């Protein structure tokens, strides 16, 4: 029971990022948190204090990492980089392979975004969280450079 109270308190203190859409680092931290909780609850050899210490350590690491993500060098170490999957109506097949996204996955995301014609697509981006963003419009607009500033072209 105590470990549940601690996990709620630590999540309140360190924010919801712990369980939001995750980067690779955040995913690893979430797995570690689950492992610590399980060990604390199920193992007689792990005390509540040791579980709380382990959880606190992971949360502090996440907090430090969130702060250090402000610096590009560190962000490159812990986060994936966004990647174009489509530019305008052109599918970037090599980038699909690199992101391990199938043609079917791409079609599903386009349908989800209510794209009716490929000519509406301005950009499809594989995000750092492994989400796929679809920027589209039926109007003759271009995407602001600021929105795609850090996206890999390859």
């Amino acid at each position: 029971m105590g470990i549940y109270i601690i996990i709620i308190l630590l999540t309140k203190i360190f924010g919801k990022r712990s369980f939001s859409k995750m980067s690779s680092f955040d995913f690893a931290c979430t797995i570690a948190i689950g492992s610590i909780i399980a060990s604390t609850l199920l193992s007689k050899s792990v005390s509540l204090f040791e579980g709380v210490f382990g959880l606190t350590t992971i949360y502090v690491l996440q907090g430090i990492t969130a702060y250090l993500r402000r610096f590009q060098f560190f962000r490159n170490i812990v986060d994936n980089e966004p990647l174009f999957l489509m530019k305008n109506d052109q599918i970037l097949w090599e980038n699909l392979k690199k992101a391990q996204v199938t043609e079917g996955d791409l079609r599903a995301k386009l349908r989800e975004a209510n794209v009716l014609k490929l000519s509406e697509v301005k950009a499809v981006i594989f995000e750092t969280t492994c989400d796929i963003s679809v920027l589209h419009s039926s109007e003759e607009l271009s995407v602001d450079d600021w929105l795609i500033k850090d996206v890999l072209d390859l």
Side-chain angles (χ1 to χ4, degrees), residues 39-96:
S39 296
T40 304
L41 290 174
L42 301 175
S43 175
K44 291 181 175 33
S45 65
V46 178
S47 70
L48 179 60
F49 174 78
E50 291 169 324
V52 169
F53 180 77
L55 284 174
T56 303
T57 301
I58 297 296
Y59 274 94
V60 167
L61 281 173
Q62 276 194 313
I64 291 168
T65 300
Y67 173 77
L68 292 174
R69 276 186 168 114
R70 296 176 181 157
F71 305 102
Q72 185 64 43
F73 170 76
F74 192 78
R75 208 169 35 244
N76 289 344
I77 293 171
V78 297
D79 289 337
N80 303 319
E81 292 186 274
L83 178 68
F84 279 111
L85 299 179
M86 285 182 72
K87 279 184 140 184
N88 298 312
D89 60 352
Q90 299 300 308
I91 298 171
L92 305 174
W93 297 103
E94 287 302 312
N95 289 1
L96 279 176

